[in-house]
Amino acid sequence: RAAQGRRSFPHCPIPDEPAGPECATVPLPPLPLSVALPADHALASRTSVAIPTLKSERFIEGPTSPPTASERAVNRLFARHGIQRQIAQRVDDLQLSLSLVASGMGAMIGYFAANARNRTDVVIVPLDDPHASLTRAFAWRTSPGLPVLDELLGFLGERAAA
């Protein structure tokens, strides 16, 4: 988005490839990945789940055209274990995705905030893998002479150093 010249400060996965000299990023702490499973799933009572344990699962994923950086990161994580994920359904709504997980249509890999963890029909289990996290950053298109940008960058630099 930043390379397209939008004047926003999106929170986004760190790109797979450098964005180019016209873009800048400030890395943020990584987000741990977990798997969302139906509450009655055989793996739901575990404290963590290893990636190879999910080999036969089908997954709920967001719409792709092209795949998101998050989906590519998850696919690379599974590929490290020789697994190509099977996608059961693509949905562009978190609550609908979680409802499909609850119905048993598939599992879901991601970072799940509190609103997803409050459901009783879905269990969120951390992935047991040292690479199971999403890197992320604030990204923007560099442009000279934007005082608000300088102020924001100073603030972000202070927060990143803390």
Side-chain angles (χ1 to χ4, degrees), residues 115-126:
N115 63 339
R117 296 176 182 273
N118 291 335
R119 295 180 63 128
T120 59
D121 54 351
V122 173
V123 174
I124 310 296
V125 183

Side-chain angles (χ1 to χ4, degrees), residues 4-91:
Q4 296 167 354
R6 296 184 187 160
R7 292 184 185 220
S8 61
F9 297 92
H11 155 265
C12 62
I14 293 179
D16 299 332
E17 300 174 6
E22 72 280 1
C23 293
T25 60
V26 172
L28 298 170
L31 298 172
L33 289 173
S34 298
V35 59
L37 300 163
D40 61 354
H41 192 283
L43 300 174
S45 62
R46 295 192 180 189
T47 57
S48 66
V49 174
I51 301 287
T53 309
L54 300 170
K55 183 177 184 175
S56 62
E57 296 292 329
R58 293 172 45 96
F59 293 91
I60 308 299
E61 189 60 73
T64 59
S65 186
T68 64
S70 296
E71 182 177 352
R72 290 191 308 269
V74 170
N75 288 341
R76 282 192 306 272
L77 177 63
F78 274 69
R80 293 174 72 95
H81 297 276
I83 301 168
Q84 182 173 347
R85 294 187 313 141
Q86 300 300 313
I87 306 301
Q89 184 70 41
R90 293 190 174 278
V91 180

